[in-house]
Coordinates of all heavy atoms in Angstrom, one line a residue:
M1 N 120.5 -58.1 -72.3 CA 121.3 -58.4 -71.2 C 121.9 -59.8 -71.3 O 121.1 -60.7 -71.5 CB 120.5 -58.3 -69.9 CG 121.2 -58.6 -68.7 SD 120.3 -58.3 -67.2 CE 119.5 -59.8 -66.9
T2 N 123.2 -59.9 -71.2 CA 123.8 -61.2 -71.3 C 124.0 -61.8 -69.9 O 124.6 -61.2 -69.1 CB 125.2 -61.1 -72.0 OG1 125.0 -60.4 -73.3 CG2 125.8 -62.4 -72.2
L3 N 123.6 -63.1 -69.8 CA 123.7 -63.7 -68.5 C 124.9 -64.7 -68.5 O 125.1 -65.4 -69.5 CB 122.5 -64.5 -68.2 CG 121.2 -63.7 -67.9 CD1 120.0 -64.6 -67.7 CD2 121.4 -62.8 -66.7
S4 N 125.6 -64.7 -67.4 CA 126.7 -65.7 -67.3 C 126.1 -67.1 -67.1 O 125.0 -67.2 -66.7 CB 127.6 -65.3 -66.2 OG 126.9 -65.5 -65.0
P5 N 126.9 -68.1 -67.4 CA 126.4 -69.5 -67.2 C 126.0 -69.7 -65.7 O 125.0 -70.4 -65.5 CB 127.6 -70.4 -67.5 CG 128.5 -69.6 -68.4 CD 128.3 -68.2 -68.0
F6 N 126.7 -69.1 -64.8 CA 126.3 -69.3 -63.4 C 124.9 -68.7 -63.1 O 124.1 -69.3 -62.4 CB 127.3 -68.8 -62.4 CG 126.9 -68.9 -61.0 CD1 127.1 -70.1 -60.3 CD2 126.4 -67.9 -60.3 CE1 126.7 -70.3 -59.0 CE2 126.0 -68.0 -59.0 CZ 126.2 -69.3 -58.3
K7 N 124.7 -67.5 -63.6 CA 123.4 -66.8 -63.4 C 122.3 -67.6 -64.1 O 121.2 -67.7 -63.6 CB 123.4 -65.4 -64.0 CG 124.2 -64.5 -63.1 CD 124.2 -63.1 -63.6 CE 125.0 -62.1 -62.8 NZ 125.0 -60.8 -63.2
K8 N 122.5 -68.2 -65.3 CA 121.5 -69.0 -65.9 C 121.2 -70.2 -65.1 O 120.0 -70.6 -64.9 CB 122.0 -69.5 -67.3 CG 122.1 -68.4 -68.3 CD 122.6 -68.9 -69.6 CE 122.8 -67.8 -70.7 NZ 123.3 -68.3 -71.9
L9 N 122.2 -70.9 -64.5 CA 122.0 -72.0 -63.6 C 121.2 -71.6 -62.4 O 120.3 -72.3 -62.0 CB 123.3 -72.6 -63.2 CG 123.3 -73.8 -62.3 CD1 122.6 -75.0 -63.0 CD2 124.6 -74.2 -61.8
A10 N 121.5 -70.5 -61.8 CA 120.8 -70.0 -60.6 C 119.4 -69.7 -60.9 O 118.5 -70.1 -60.1 CB 121.5 -68.8 -60.0
L11 N 119.1 -69.1 -62.1 CA 117.7 -68.8 -62.4 C 116.9 -70.1 -62.7 O 115.8 -70.2 -62.4 CB 117.7 -67.9 -63.7 CG 118.1 -66.4 -63.4 CD1 118.1 -65.7 -64.7 CD2 117.1 -65.8 -62.5
A12 N 117.6 -71.1 -63.4 CA 116.9 -72.3 -63.6 C 116.6 -73.0 -62.3 O 115.5 -73.6 -62.2 CB 117.8 -73.2 -64.5
A13 N 117.5 -73.0 -61.4 CA 117.3 -73.7 -60.1 C 116.2 -73.0 -59.3 O 115.3 -73.6 -58.7 CB 118.6 -73.6 -59.2
L14 N 116.1 -71.7 -59.4 CA 115.0 -70.9 -58.8 C 113.7 -71.2 -59.4 O 112.7 -71.4 -58.7 CB 115.3 -69.4 -58.8 CG 114.3 -68.5 -58.2 CD1 114.3 -68.8 -56.7 CD2 114.6 -67.1 -58.4
A15 N 113.6 -71.4 -60.7 CA 112.4 -71.7 -61.4 C 111.9 -73.1 -61.0 O 110.7 -73.3 -60.8 CB 112.6 -71.6 -62.9
I16 N 112.9 -74.0 -61.0 CA 112.5 -75.4 -60.6 C 112.0 -75.4 -59.1 O 111.0 -76.1 -58.8 CB 113.7 -76.3 -60.8 CG1 114.0 -76.5 -62.3 CG2 113.5 -77.7 -60.1 CD1 115.3 -77.2 -62.6
A17 N 112.7 -74.7 -58.2 CA 112.2 -74.7 -56.9 C 110.8 -74.1 -56.7 O 110.0 -74.5 -55.9 CB 113.2 -73.9 -56.0
T18 N 110.6 -73.0 -57.5 CA 109.2 -72.4 -57.5 C 108.2 -73.3 -58.0 O 107.1 -73.4 -57.3 CB 109.3 -71.1 -58.4 OG1 110.3 -70.2 -57.9 CG2 107.9 -70.4 -58.3
V19 N 108.4 -74.0 -59.1 CA 107.4 -75.0 -59.6 C 107.2 -76.1 -58.6 O 106.1 -76.5 -58.4 CB 107.8 -75.5 -61.0 CG1 106.9 -76.6 -61.5 CG2 107.8 -74.3 -62.0
A20 N 108.3 -76.6 -58.0 CA 108.2 -77.7 -57.1 C 107.4 -77.3 -55.9 O 106.6 -78.1 -55.4 CB 109.6 -78.2 -56.7
T21 N 107.7 -76.1 -55.3 CA 106.9 -75.7 -54.2 C 105.5 -75.5 -54.5 O 104.6 -75.9 -53.7 CB 107.5 -74.3 -53.7 OG1 108.9 -74.5 -53.4 CG2 106.9 -73.9 -52.4
G22 N 105.2 -74.9 -55.6 CA 103.8 -74.8 -56.0 C 103.1 -76.1 -56.2 O 101.9 -76.3 -55.9
T23 N 103.8 -77.1 -56.7 CA 103.2 -78.4 -56.9 C 102.9 -79.1 -55.6 O 101.9 -79.7 -55.4 CB 104.1 -79.3 -57.8 OG1 104.3 -78.6 -59.0 CG2 103.5 -80.6 -58.1
I24 N 103.9 -79.0 -54.7 CA 103.7 -79.6 -53.4 C 102.6 -79.0 -52.6 O 101.9 -79.6 -51.8 CB 105.0 -79.6 -52.6 CG1 106.1 -80.5 -53.3 CG2 104.9 -80.1 -51.2 CD1 107.5 -80.4 -52.8
A25 N 102.5 -77.6 -52.7 CA 101.6 -76.9 -51.9 C 100.1 -77.0 -52.3 O 99.3 -76.5 -51.6 CB 102.0 -75.4 -51.8
T26 N 99.8 -77.5 -53.5 CA 98.4 -77.6 -53.9 C 97.7 -78.6 -53.1 O 98.2 -79.7 -52.9 CB 98.3 -77.8 -55.4 OG1 99.0 -79.1 -55.7 CG2 99.0 -76.7 -56.2
N27 N 96.4 -78.3 -52.8 CA 95.5 -79.3 -52.1 C 94.3 -79.5 -52.9 O 93.8 -78.5 -53.6 CB 95.1 -78.7 -50.7 CG 96.3 -78.7 -49.7 OD1 97.1 -79.6 -49.8 ND2 96.3 -77.7 -48.9
D28 N 93.7 -80.7 -52.9 CA 92.5 -80.9 -53.6 C 91.3 -80.3 -52.9 O 90.3 -79.9 -53.5 CB 92.3 -82.4 -53.8 CG 93.3 -83.0 -54.7 OD1 93.9 -82.3 -55.5 OD2 93.6 -84.2 -54.6
T29 N 91.3 -80.4 -51.6 CA 90.2 -79.9 -50.8 C 90.7 -78.9 -49.8 O 91.9 -78.8 -49.5 CB 89.5 -81.0 -50.0 OG1 90.5 -81.6 -49.1 CG2 88.9 -82.1 -50.9
A30 N 89.8 -78.0 -49.3 CA 90.2 -77.0 -48.4 C 90.0 -77.5 -47.0 O 89.1 -77.2 -46.3 CB 89.3 -75.8 -48.6
E31 N 91.0 -78.4 -46.6 CA 91.0 -78.9 -45.2 C 92.3 -78.5 -44.5 O 93.3 -78.3 -45.1 CB 90.9 -80.4 -45.3 CG 89.6 -80.9 -45.9 CD 89.6 -82.5 -46.0 OE1 90.5 -83.1 -45.5 OE2 88.7 -83.0 -46.6
A32 N 92.2 -78.6 -43.2 CA 93.4 -78.3 -42.4 C 94.2 -79.6 -42.4 O 93.8 -80.7 -41.9 CB 93.1 -77.9 -41.0
K33 N 95.4 -79.6 -43.0 CA 96.3 -80.8 -43.1 C 97.6 -80.5 -42.4 O 97.9 -79.4 -42.0 CB 96.5 -81.2 -44.5 CG 95.2 -81.6 -45.2 CD 95.5 -82.4 -46.4 CE 94.2 -82.9 -47.0 NZ 94.4 -83.7 -48.1
P34 N 98.5 -81.5 -42.3 CA 99.8 -81.3 -41.7 C 100.6 -80.2 -42.4 O 100.3 -79.9 -43.6 CB 100.5 -82.6 -41.8 CG 99.4 -83.6 -41.9 CD 98.2 -82.9 -42.6
K35 N 101.6 -79.7 -41.8 CA 102.4 -78.6 -42.3 C 103.5 -79.0 -43.3 O 104.5 -78.5 -43.4 CB 103.0 -77.8 -41.2 CG 101.9 -77.3 -40.2 CD 102.6 -76.6 -39.1 CE 101.6 -76.0 -38.2 NZ 101.2 -76.8 -37.1
G36 N 103.2 -80.1 -44.1 CA 104.2 -80.6 -45.0 C 104.6 -79.7 -46.1 O 105.8 -79.5 -46.4
A37 N 103.7 -78.9 -46.6 CA 104.0 -78.0 -47.7 C 104.8 -76.8 -47.2 O 105.7 -76.4 -47.9 CB 102.7 -77.5 -48.4
F38 N 104.5 -76.4 -46.0 CA 105.2 -75.3 -45.4 C 106.7 -75.7 -45.2 O 107.6 -75.0 -45.5 CB 104.6 -74.8 -44.1 CG 105.4 -73.7 -43.4 CD1 105.4 -72.4 -43.9 CD2 106.2 -74.0 -42.3 CE1 106.1 -71.5 -43.3 CE2 106.9 -73.1 -41.7 CZ 106.9 -71.8 -42.2
I39 N 106.8 -76.9 -44.6 CA 108.2 -77.4 -44.4 C 109.0 -77.6 -45.6 O 110.2 -77.2 -45.7 CB 108.1 -78.7 -43.5 CG1 107.5 -78.4 -42.2 CG2 109.5 -79.4 -43.4 CD1 107.2 -79.6 -41.4
A40 N 108.3 -78.2 -46.7 CA 109.0 -78.3 -48.0 C 109.4 -77.0 -48.6 O 110.5 -76.8 -49.1 CB 108.1 -79.1 -48.9
G41 N 108.5 -76.0 -48.5 CA 108.9 -74.7 -49.0 C 110.0 -74.0 -48.2 O 110.9 -73.4 -48.8
A42 N 110.0 -74.2 -46.9 CA 111.1 -73.7 -46.1 C 112.4 -74.3 -46.4 O 113.4 -73.7 -46.5 CB 110.7 -73.8 -44.6
I43 N 112.4 -75.6 -46.7 CA 113.7 -76.3 -47.0 C 114.2 -75.9 -48.4 O 115.3 -75.6 -48.5 CB 113.4 -77.9 -47.0 CG1 113.2 -78.3 -45.5 CG2 114.6 -78.6 -47.6 CD1 112.8 -79.7 -45.4
I44 N 113.3 -75.8 -49.3 CA 113.7 -75.4 -50.7 C 114.1 -74.0 -50.7 O 115.2 -73.6 -51.3 CB 112.6 -75.7 -51.7 CG1 112.3 -77.2 -51.9 CG2 112.9 -75.0 -53.0 CD1 111.1 -77.5 -52.7
G45 N 113.4 -73.1 -50.0 CA 113.8 -71.7 -49.9 C 115.1 -71.5 -49.2 O 115.9 -70.7 -49.6
G46 N 115.3 -72.2 -48.1 CA 116.5 -72.1 -47.4 C 117.7 -72.6 -48.2 O 118.8 -72.0 -48.2
T47 N 117.5 -73.7 -48.9 CA 118.6 -74.2 -49.8 C 118.9 -73.2 -50.9 O 120.1 -72.9 -51.2 CB 118.2 -75.5 -50.5 OG1 117.8 -76.4 -49.4 CG2 119.3 -76.1 -51.3
A48 N 117.9 -72.6 -51.5 CA 118.2 -71.6 -52.6 C 118.9 -70.4 -52.0 O 119.8 -69.8 -52.6 CB 116.8 -71.1 -53.2
G49 N 118.5 -70.0 -50.8 CA 119.2 -68.8 -50.1 C 120.6 -69.1 -49.8 O 121.5 -68.3 -49.9
L50 N 120.9 -70.4 -49.3 CA 122.3 -70.8 -49.1 C 123.1 -70.8 -50.3 O 124.3 -70.3 -50.4 CB 122.3 -72.1 -48.4 CG 121.9 -72.2 -47.0 CD1 121.8 -73.6 -46.5 CD2 122.8 -71.4 -46.1
I51 N 122.6 -71.3 -51.4 CA 123.3 -71.3 -52.7 C 123.6 -69.9 -53.2 O 124.7 -69.5 -53.6 CB 122.5 -72.1 -53.8 CG1 122.5 -73.6 -53.4 CG2 123.1 -71.9 -55.2 CD1 121.5 -74.4 -54.2
A52 N 122.6 -69.0 -53.1 CA 122.8 -67.6 -53.6 C 123.8 -66.9 -52.6 O 124.6 -66.1 -53.1 CB 121.5 -66.9 -53.6
G53 N 123.7 -67.1 -51.3 CA 124.6 -66.5 -50.4 C 126.1 -67.0 -50.6 O 127.0 -66.2 -50.5
S54 N 126.2 -68.2 -50.9 CA 127.5 -68.8 -51.2 C 128.1 -68.2 -52.4 O 129.3 -67.8 -52.5 CB 127.5 -70.3 -51.3 OG 128.7 -70.8 -51.7
A55 N 127.3 -68.1 -53.5 CA 127.7 -67.5 -54.7 C 128.2 -66.0 -54.5 O 129.2 -65.6 -55.1 CB 126.7 -67.6 -55.8
Y56 N 127.4 -65.3 -53.8 CA 127.7 -63.9 -53.5 C 129.0 -63.8 -52.7 O 129.9 -63.0 -52.9 CB 126.6 -63.2 -52.8 CG 126.8 -61.7 -52.6 CD1 126.7 -60.8 -53.6 CD2 127.2 -61.2 -51.3 CE1 126.9 -59.5 -53.5 CE2 127.5 -59.9 -51.2 CZ 127.3 -59.0 -52.2 OH 127.6 -57.7 -52.0
G57 N 129.1 -64.7 -51.7 CA 130.3 -64.6 -50.8 C 131.6 -65.0 -51.5 O 132.7 -64.5 -51.1
H58 N 131.5 -65.8 -52.5 CA 132.7 -66.3 -53.2 C 133.0 -65.4 -54.4 O 133.9 -65.7 -55.2 CB 132.6 -67.7 -53.7 CG 132.7 -68.7 -52.5 ND1 133.8 -68.9 -51.9 CD2 131.7 -69.4 -51.9 CE1 133.6 -69.8 -50.9 NE2 132.3 -70.1 -50.9
G59 N 132.3 -64.3 -54.6 CA 132.7 -63.3 -55.6 C 132.1 -63.5 -57.0 O 132.6 -62.9 -57.9
Y60 N 131.1 -64.3 -57.2 CA 130.5 -64.5 -58.5 C 129.8 -63.2 -58.9 O 129.6 -63.0 -60.1 CB 129.6 -65.7 -58.5 CG 130.3 -67.0 -58.5 CD1 130.2 -67.8 -57.3 CD2 131.1 -67.4 -59.5 CE1 130.9 -69.0 -57.3 CE2 131.8 -68.6 -59.5 CZ 131.7 -69.4 -58.3 OH 132.3 -70.6 -58.3
Y61 N 129.3 -62.4 -57.9 CA 128.6 -61.2 -58.2 C 129.5 -60.0 -57.9 O 129.0 -58.9 -57.7 CB 127.3 -61.1 -57.5 CG 126.3 -62.2 -57.9 CD1 125.9 -63.1 -56.9 CD2 125.9 -62.3 -59.2 CE1 125.0 -64.1 -57.3 CE2 125.0 -63.3 -59.5 CZ 124.6 -64.2 -58.6 OH 123.7 -65.2 -58.9
G62 N 130.8 -60.1 -57.8 CA 131.7 -59.1 -57.4 C 132.2 -58.2 -58.4 O 133.0 -57.3 -58.1
G63 N 131.9 -58.3 -59.7 CA 132.4 -57.5 -60.7 C 133.6 -58.0 -61.4 O 133.7 -59.3 -61.6
Y64 N 134.5 -57.2 -61.8 CA 135.7 -57.6 -62.6 C 136.7 -58.3 -61.7 O 137.3 -57.7 -60.9 CB 136.3 -56.4 -63.2 CG 137.4 -56.6 -64.1 CD1 137.3 -57.3 -65.3 CD2 138.7 -56.3 -63.7 CE1 138.3 -57.6 -66.2 CE2 139.8 -56.6 -64.6 CZ 139.6 -57.2 -65.8 OH 140.7 -57.5 -66.6
R65 N 136.9 -59.6 -61.9 CA 137.9 -60.4 -61.2 C 138.6 -61.3 -62.1 O 138.2 -62.4 -62.3 CB 137.2 -61.2 -60.1 CG 136.6 -60.3 -59.0 CD 135.9 -61.2 -58.0 NE 135.2 -60.5 -57.0 CZ 135.7 -60.3 -55.8 NH1 136.8 -60.8 -55.4 NH2 135.0 -59.6 -54.9
P66 N 139.7 -60.9 -62.7 CA 140.4 -61.8 -63.6 C 141.1 -62.9 -62.8 O 141.5 -62.8 -61.7 CB 141.5 -60.9 -64.3 CG 141.6 -59.7 -63.4 CD 140.3 -59.6 -62.7
A67 N 141.1 -64.1 -63.5 CA 141.6 -65.3 -62.8 C 143.1 -65.2 -62.4 O 143.5 -65.8 -61.4 CB 141.4 -66.5 -63.7
Y68 N 143.9 -64.5 -63.2 CA 145.3 -64.5 -63.0 C 145.7 -63.6 -61.8 O 146.8 -63.6 -61.3 CB 146.1 -64.0 -64.2 CG 145.6 -62.8 -64.9 CD1 146.0 -61.5 -64.4 CD2 144.7 -62.9 -65.9 CE1 145.6 -60.4 -65.0 CE2 144.2 -61.7 -66.5 CZ 144.7 -60.5 -66.1 OH 144.2 -59.4 -66.7
Y69 N 144.8 -62.9 -61.2 CA 145.0 -62.2 -59.9 C 144.5 -62.9 -58.7 O 144.6 -62.4 -57.6 CB 144.4 -60.8 -60.0 CG 145.2 -59.7 -60.7 CD1 144.7 -59.0 -61.7 CD2 146.5 -59.5 -60.3 CE1 145.5 -58.1 -62.4 CE2 147.3 -58.6 -60.9 CZ 146.8 -57.9 -62.0 OH 147.5 -56.9 -62.6
G70 N 143.9 -64.1 -58.9 CA 143.4 -64.8 -57.8 C 142.2 -64.1 -57.1 O 142.0 -64.3 -55.9
G71 N 141.4 -63.3 -57.8 CA 140.3 -62.6 -57.2 C 140.5 -61.2 -56.7 O 139.6 -60.5 -56.4
Y72 N 141.8 -60.8 -56.5 CA 142.1 -59.5 -56.1 C 142.6 -58.7 -57.2 O 143.6 -59.1 -57.9 CB 143.1 -59.5 -54.9 CG 143.6 -58.1 -54.5 CD1 142.7 -57.3 -53.8 CD2 144.8 -57.7 -54.9 CE1 143.1 -56.0 -53.5 CE2 145.2 -56.4 -54.5 CZ 144.4 -55.6 -53.8 OH 144.8 -54.3 -53.5
V73 N 142.1 -57.5 -57.4 CA 142.6 -56.6 -58.4 C 143.0 -55.3 -57.8 O 142.1 -54.6 -57.2 CB 141.5 -56.3 -59.5 CG1 142.0 -55.4 -60.6 CG2 141.1 -57.6 -60.1
P74 N 144.3 -54.9 -57.8 CA 144.7 -53.6 -57.3 C 144.2 -52.5 -58.2 O 144.2 -52.6 -59.4 CB 146.2 -53.7 -57.2 CG 146.6 -54.7 -58.2 CD 145.4 -55.7 -58.3
T75 N 143.7 -51.5 -57.6 CA 143.1 -50.3 -58.4 C 143.8 -49.0 -57.9 O 144.4 -48.9 -56.9 CB 141.6 -50.2 -58.2 OG1 141.3 -50.0 -56.8 CG2 140.9 -51.5 -58.7
R76 N 143.6 -48.0 -58.8 CA 144.0 -46.7 -58.5 C 142.9 -45.7 -58.9 O 142.0 -46.1 -59.7 CB 145.3 -46.3 -59.2 CG 145.2 -46.4 -60.7 CD 146.5 -46.2 -61.4 NE 146.4 -46.4 -62.8 CZ 146.3 -45.4 -63.7 NH1 146.2 -44.2 -63.2 NH2 146.2 -45.7 -64.9
R77 N 142.9 -44.6 -58.3 CA 141.9 -43.6 -58.7 C 142.4 -42.7 -59.9 O 143.5 -42.2 -59.8 CB 141.6 -42.7 -57.5 CG 140.5 -41.7 -57.7 CD 140.1 -40.9 -56.5 NE 139.0 -40.1 -56.7 CZ 138.6 -39.1 -56.0 NH1 139.3 -38.8 -55.0 NH2 137.6 -38.4 -56.3
V78 N 141.5 -42.6 -60.9 CA 141.9 -41.9 -62.1 C 140.8 -40.7 -62.2 O 139.6 -41.0 -62.1 CB 141.8 -42.8 -63.3 CG1 142.1 -42.0 -64.6 CG2 142.8 -43.9 -63.2
C79 N 141.3 -39.5 -62.4 CA 140.4 -38.4 -62.6 C 140.8 -37.6 -63.9 O 142.0 -37.6 -64.3 CB 140.5 -37.4 -61.4 SG 140.0 -38.2 -59.9
E80 N 139.8 -37.0 -64.5 CA 140.1 -36.1 -65.6 C 138.9 -35.1 -65.7 O 137.9 -35.3 -65.2 CB 140.2 -36.9 -66.9 CG 138.9 -37.5 -67.4 CD 139.1 -38.3 -68.7 OE1 140.2 -38.7 -69.0 OE2 138.1 -38.6 -69.4
F81 N 139.2 -34.0 -66.4 CA 138.2 -33.0 -66.6 C 137.6 -33.2 -68.0 O 138.3 -33.4 -69.0 CB 138.9 -31.6 -66.5 CG 139.3 -31.2 -65.1 CD1 140.5 -31.4 -64.7 CD2 138.3 -30.7 -64.3 CE1 140.9 -31.0 -63.4 CE2 138.7 -30.3 -63.0 CZ 140.0 -30.5 -62.5
R82 N 136.3 -33.2 -68.0 CA 135.5 -33.4 -69.2 C 134.6 -32.2 -69.5 O 134.1 -31.7 -68.6 CB 134.7 -34.7 -69.1 CG 135.5 -35.9 -69.0 CD 134.6 -37.2 -69.1 NE 135.5 -38.4 -69.0 CZ 135.0 -39.6 -69.0 NH1 133.7 -39.8 -69.0 NH2 135.8 -40.6 -68.9
P83 N 134.5 -31.9 -70.8 CA 133.7 -30.7 -71.1 C 132.2 -31.1 -70.9 O 131.8 -32.2 -71.1 CB 133.9 -30.5 -72.6 CG 134.5 -31.8 -73.1 CD 135.2 -32.4 -72.0
R84 N 131.4 -30.1 -70.5 CA 130.0 -30.3 -70.2 C 129.2 -29.4 -71.2 O 129.6 -28.3 -71.5 CB 129.6 -29.9 -68.8 CG 130.4 -30.6 -67.7 CD 130.1 -32.1 -67.7 NE 128.8 -32.3 -67.3 CZ 128.2 -33.5 -67.1 NH1 128.9 -34.6 -67.5 NH2 127.0 -33.6 -66.7
F85 N 128.1 -29.9 -71.7 CA 127.3 -29.2 -72.7 C 125.8 -29.3 -72.2 O 125.4 -30.2 -71.6 CB 127.4 -29.8 -74.1 CG 128.8 -29.8 -74.6 CD1 129.6 -30.9 -74.4 CD2 129.2 -28.7 -75.3 CE1 130.9 -30.9 -74.9 CE2 130.5 -28.7 -75.8 CZ 131.4 -29.8 -75.6
N86 N 125.1 -28.2 -72.5 CA 123.6 -28.2 -72.1 C 122.9 -29.0 -73.2 O 123.4 -29.5 -74.2 CB 123.1 -26.8 -71.9 CG 123.2 -25.9 -73.1 OD1 123.4 -26.4 -74.2 ND2 123.0 -24.6 -72.9
K87 N 121.5 -29.0 -73.0 CA 120.7 -29.8 -74.0 C 120.7 -29.2 -75.4 O 120.2 -29.9 -76.3 CB 119.3 -30.0 -73.4 CG 118.5 -28.8 -73.3 CD 117.1 -29.1 -72.6 CE 116.3 -27.9 -72.4 NZ 115.0 -28.3 -71.8
W88 N 121.1 -28.0 -75.6 CA 121.1 -27.4 -76.9 C 122.5 -27.5 -77.5 O 122.7 -27.0 -78.6 CB 120.7 -25.9 -76.8 CG 119.3 -25.7 -76.3 CD1 118.2 -25.9 -77.0 CD2 118.9 -25.4 -75.0 NE1 117.1 -25.7 -76.3 CE2 117.5 -25.4 -75.0 CE3 119.6 -25.1 -73.9 CZ2 116.8 -25.1 -73.9 CZ3 118.9 -24.8 -72.7 CH2 117.5 -24.8 -72.7
G89 N 123.5 -28.1 -76.8 CA 124.8 -28.3 -77.4 C 125.8 -27.2 -77.1 O 126.9 -27.2 -77.6
H90 N 125.4 -26.2 -76.2 CA 126.3 -25.1 -75.9 C 127.2 -25.6 -74.8 O 126.8 -26.2 -73.8 CB 125.5 -23.9 -75.5 CG 124.6 -23.4 -76.6 ND1 123.3 -23.3 -76.4 CD2 124.9 -23.0 -77.8 CE1 122.7 -22.9 -77.5 NE2 123.7 -22.7 -78.4
Y91 N 128.5 -25.2 -74.9 CA 129.5 -25.5 -73.9 C 129.2 -24.7 -72.6 O 129.0 -23.5 -72.6 CB 130.9 -25.1 -74.4 CG 132.0 -25.3 -73.4 CD1 132.5 -26.5 -73.1 CD2 132.5 -24.2 -72.8 CE1 133.5 -26.7 -72.2 CE2 133.6 -24.3 -71.9 CZ 134.0 -25.6 -71.6 OH 135.1 -25.7 -70.7
V92 N 129.1 -25.4 -71.4 CA 128.8 -24.7 -70.2 C 129.9 -24.8 -69.2 O 129.8 -24.3 -68.1 CB 127.5 -25.2 -69.6 CG1 126.3 -24.8 -70.4 CG2 127.5 -26.7 -69.4
G93 N 131.0 -25.5 -69.5 CA 132.1 -25.6 -68.5 C 132.7 -27.0 -68.5 O 132.4 -27.9 -69.3
T94 N 133.5 -27.3 -67.5 CA 134.1 -28.6 -67.3 C 133.7 -29.2 -66.0 O 133.3 -28.5 -65.1 CB 135.6 -28.5 -67.4 OG1 136.1 -27.7 -66.4 CG2 136.1 -28.0 -68.7
K95 N 133.8 -30.5 -65.9 CA 133.5 -31.2 -64.7 C 134.5 -32.3 -64.5 O 135.0 -32.9 -65.4 CB 132.1 -31.9 -64.8 CG 131.7 -32.6 -63.5 CD 130.3 -33.2 -63.6 CE 130.0 -33.9 -62.3 NZ 128.7 -34.4 -62.3
R96 N 135.0 -32.4 -63.2 CA 135.9 -33.4 -62.9 C 135.2 -34.8 -62.7 O 134.3 -34.9 -61.9 CB 136.7 -33.1 -61.6 CG 137.7 -34.0 -61.2 CD 138.4 -33.5 -59.9 NE 139.5 -34.4 -59.6 CZ 140.0 -34.5 -58.4 NH1 139.5 -33.8 -57.4 NH2 140.9 -35.4 -58.1
V97 N 135.7 -35.8 -63.4 CA 135.1 -37.1 -63.4 C 136.2 -38.1 -62.9 O 137.3 -38.1 -63.4 CB 134.5 -37.5 -64.7 CG1 133.9 -38.9 -64.7 CG2 133.5 -36.5 -65.2
C98 N 135.8 -38.9 -61.9 CA 136.8 -39.9 -61.3 C 136.2 -41.3 -61.3 O 135.0 -41.5 -61.2 CB 137.2 -39.5 -59.9 SG 137.9 -37.9 -59.7
W99 N 137.1 -42.3 -61.4 CA 136.7 -43.7 -61.4 C 137.9 -44.5 -60.9 O 139.0 -44.0 -60.8 CB 136.2 -44.2 -62.7 CG 137.2 -44.1 -63.8 CD1 138.0 -45.2 -64.2 CD2 137.6 -43.0 -64.6 NE1 138.9 -44.8 -65.2 CE2 138.6 -43.5 -65.5 CE3 137.1 -41.7 -64.8 CZ2 139.2 -42.7 -66.4 CZ3 137.7 -40.9 -65.7 CH2 138.7 -41.4 -66.5
R100 N 137.6 -45.8 -60.6 CA 138.6 -46.7 -60.2 C 139.1 -47.5 -61.4 O 138.3 -48.1 -62.1 CB 138.1 -47.7 -59.1 CG 137.6 -47.0 -57.8 CD 138.6 -46.3 -57.1 NE 139.7 -47.1 -56.6 CZ 140.7 -46.6 -55.9 NH1 140.8 -45.3 -55.6 NH2 141.7 -47.4 -55.5
A101 N 140.4 -47.6 -61.6 CA 140.9 -48.3 -62.8 C 141.9 -49.3 -62.2 O 142.7 -49.1 -61.3 CB 141.6 -47.3 -63.7
P102 N 141.9 -50.6 -62.8 CA 142.9 -51.6 -62.4 C 144.3 -51.2 -62.8 O 144.5 -50.6 -63.8 CB 142.4 -52.8 -63.1 CG 141.6 -52.3 -64.3 CD 141.0 -51.0 -63.9
I103 N 145.2 -51.6 -61.9 CA 146.6 -51.4 -62.2 C 147.2 -52.6 -62.8 O 147.1 -53.7 -62.2 CB 147.4 -51.1 -60.9 CG1 146.8 -49.8 -60.2 CG2 148.9 -50.9 -61.1 CD1 147.4 -49.5 -58.8
Y104 N 147.8 -52.5 -64.0 CA 148.4 -53.7 -64.6 C 149.9 -53.6 -64.6 O 150.5 -52.6 -64.7 CB 147.9 -53.8 -66.0 CG 146.5 -54.2 -66.1 CD1 145.5 -53.3 -66.6 CD2 146.0 -55.4 -65.6 CE1 144.2 -53.6 -66.6 CE2 144.7 -55.8 -65.7 CZ 143.8 -54.9 -66.2 OH 142.5 -55.2 -66.2

């Protein structure tokens, strides 16, 4: 699986946030202390959520978006009949297969 540079950056940020939260949350003794670790984890988790939500909202995870269309790609429905074969290789009929194709 090939990761885009943005996904690599997001995974690295998530790993750093996880390690930082684990480091902050460790205690030497089992005593009731202030809620600093919980607050730090909530802040780091909330920030990671905002970054991921922003990336999703701006189309980084939206699929095929060429730059010269400004993020919008007009599509059309394309259908064709394809032959179908069973597991022994015998022809059993045709099936209509449809998909969305960009219009250029």
Side-chain angles (χ1 to χ4, degrees):
M1 177 172 91
T2 304
L3 295 176
S4 68
F6 180 78
K7 287 184 182 179
K8 289 179 184 178
L9 178 67
L11 287 174
L14 182 63
I16 290 170
T18 304
V19 171
T21 304
T23 304
I24 293 170
T26 57
N27 289 327
D28 293 334
T29 59
E31 298 176 5
K33 294 197 176 188
K35 300 178 178 93
F38 176 75
I39 293 171
I43 291 171
I44 292 171
T47 304
L50 287 174
I51 291 170
S54 175
Y56 184 76
H58 288 290
Y60 289 108
Y61 297 118
Y64 182 71
R65 293 176 185 260
Y68 49 86
Y69 277 125
Y72 172 73
V73 179
T75 61
R76 63 187 173 95
R77 186 174 185 199
V78 178
C79 297
E80 69 181 19
F81 289 95
R82 293 188 179 175
R84 305 295 290 180
F85 300 93
N86 63 14
K87 63 182 178 181
W88 297 283
H90 299 120
Y91 176 79
V92 293
T94 58
K95 180 176 182 177
R96 184 178 180 202
V97 180
C98 299
W99 64 92
R100 302 295 298 177
I103 300 172
Y104 292 112

